C-alpha cells in the first residue's frame, strides 16, 4: 500500500496514506473536510465516502 492522490470529478481533493493496513484520508479541499483524517479500508471506500458527502452537500462543491 502506498500514498495515493484522491480525485473527485477530475480534481485532486486529498491524499490517502497507509496506516495500519488501511488508508487515512487527508483532505486538501474544503468540500471534503468532513472526511479529513478518517480511515478507510481502500481507495474505493474513500471515493465512495466522498461521493456520498458531495451528494448531501452539493452547494459546497464548486
Amino acid at each position: 500500500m502506498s500514498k495515493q492522490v484522491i480525485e473527485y470529478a477530475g480534481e485532486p481533493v486529498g491524499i490517502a496514506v497507509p496506516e495500519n493496513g488501511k488508508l487515512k484520508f487527508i483532505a486538501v479541499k474544503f468540500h471534503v473536510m468532513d472526511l479529513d483524517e478518517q480511515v478507510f479500508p481502500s481507495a474505493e471506500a474513500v471515493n465512495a465516502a466522498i461521493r456520498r458527502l458531495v451528494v448531501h452537500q452539493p452547494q459546497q462543491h464548486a
Side-chain angles (χ1 to χ4, degrees), residues 5-41:
V5 174
I6 303 295
E7 294 184 356
Y8 178 77
E11 173 185 19
V13 295
I15 60 170
V17 294
E19 182 173 282
N20 299 323
K22 296 186 178 187
L23 292 172
K24 182 181 205 177
F25 179 66
I26 308 298
V28 297
K29 294 292 184 177
F30 182 73
H31 64 279
V32 296
M33 267 315 151
D34 287 348
L35 300 176
D36 190 46
E37 296 197 19
Q38 289 190 30
V39 178
F40 297 90

